[in-house]
Amino acid sequence: MSGYRLHDRAVLLAALVVPFLVALALVPFRTALSATNEALIMVVAVVAVAALGTRAAGALAALSAAAWFDFFLTRPYQQFAIADRDDIETAVLLLVVGLIVSQLAVRVRRLRTVVVTDAAHLSSLQGTARLVEDGSSPEAVVEYVRRELVGLLGLRGCRFEYGTLMGRLPRLEHDGNLWLHSGDRITEYADWPDGETELRAVGGGHYYGRFLLDPVPGRPLPPEEARLVAVALAAQAGAALDTAGLSQQG
């Protein structure tokens, strides 16, 4: 979590500094370049920052670009004032275009992240299905799911416990939410609780065991989509165990 905060702070700092440095680099060429070309170069700087950060960072970069364009590249120089009407229009367009393009850049980056994440989730589910189709032992399926859960949920560790339930632990439910049932009291968690969390493996209506999830202390819950994929993986492990059990009985 601290890593994400450090990244966000770094990008916000870049939103302020990068347009400043680009405008400063254009100072020797400000009499040779048109205001339109200078503004286009500033927009590139805004897009570069937005591609790495959040919507807020993109908006801040657009504001910074407009301000430093005014200060360094329009007359009177080194003042936050613009004498020429055309330069005023260019500065306003720079701000507006910078805001629009930066938001589009952030959206494209997020869509790319979603596509990559969905592909990884699908790969995990397909990997389990292939093991089952190839006739792998239920133990091999359980071990595969255990490893996948560590990466999928960002866990410190994970182990599988066969057999009956022992004790009351917070449970990752089928809807992706995290609950603790203790008598008549039900507690819902927005973050990982202290200690282990159980994810049950059920197949054919029979309970075969549970994955005991050991999260990294202080880390928030992963996105709901990741939690639902984890539930689906546990269900595949339960189905593999149930199939093995039925064949042994038959």
Side-chain angles (χ1 to χ4, degrees):
M1 193 171 181
S2 59
Y4 289 113
R5 289 174 180 170
L6 182 61
H7 174 268
D8 290 343
R9 290 173 184 171
V11 173
L12 287 174
L13 179 62
L16 293 172
V17 174
V18 170
F20 167 79
L21 294 176
V22 172
L24 192 62
L26 289 173
V27 168
F29 312 100
R30 62 191 177 191
T31 57
L33 291 173
S34 67
T36 301
N37 288 335
E38 292 169 342
L40 288 174
I41 295 173
M42 297 300 292
V43 168
V44 172
V46 173
V47 173
V49 172
L52 298 174
T54 62
R55 294 182 186 277
L60 183 59
L63 292 169
S64 177
W68 296 122
F69 173 80
D70 173 11
F71 188 81
F72 285 116
L73 304 176
T74 64
R75 298 178 186 274
Y77 298 129
Q78 280 77 57
Q79 296 182 37
F80 288 109
I82 303 177
D84 187 270
R85 180 176 178 179
D86 290 339
D87 287 343
I88 294 175
E89 292 178 353
T90 302
V92 172
L93 286 173
L94 168 60
L95 176 60
V96 173
V97 172
L99 287 171
I100 294 173
V101 173
S102 68
Q103 303 313 299
L104 290 175
V106 171
R107 182 171 179 80
V108 169
R109 183 175 63 86
R110 288 183 175 176
L111 288 174
R112 187 183 300 116
T113 301
V114 169
V115 171
V116 172
T117 301
D118 286 348
H121 292 169
L122 181 60
S123 176
S124 295
L125 294 170
Q126 288 178 331
T128 313
R130 281 195 299 270
L131 286 175
V132 175
E133 291 174 359
D134 293 342
S136 300
S137 67
E139 291 79 12
V141 176
V142 167
E143 176 59 20
Y144 176 85
V145 170
R146 186 195 67 79
R147 293 196 306 266
E148 289 295 307
L149 290 175
V150 172
L152 176 66
L153 301 177
L155 303 174
R156 181 170 57 181
C158 177
R159 60 190 177 91
F160 188 76
E161 183 179 80
Y162 290 90
T164 57
L165 294 171
M166 295 293 291
R168 294 184 181 275
L169 293 176
R171 184 190 312 162
L172 185 58
E173 299 284 4
H174 294 291
D175 58 3
N177 291 322
L178 198 58
W179 303 88
L180 173 61
H181 299 262
S182 180
D184 296 333
R185 183 180 179 183
I186 300 177
T187 303
E188 182 177 6
Y189 293 92
D191 296 309
W192 285 115
D194 294 332
E196 292 179 318
T197 296
E198 70 173 20
L199 173 58
R200 296 185 175 185
V202 178
H206 302 288
Y207 170 79
Y208 289 97
R210 58 184 176 177
F211 293 93
L212 294 173
L213 316 175
D214 183 17
V216 178
R219 178 168 293 184
L221 285 176
E224 181 182 10
E225 182 183 27
R227 302 197 303 269
L228 290 173
V229 172
V231 170
L233 287 170
Q236 287 182 314
L241 290 164
D242 185 62
T243 300
L246 288 176
S247 64
Q248 290 172 4
Q249 291 175 9

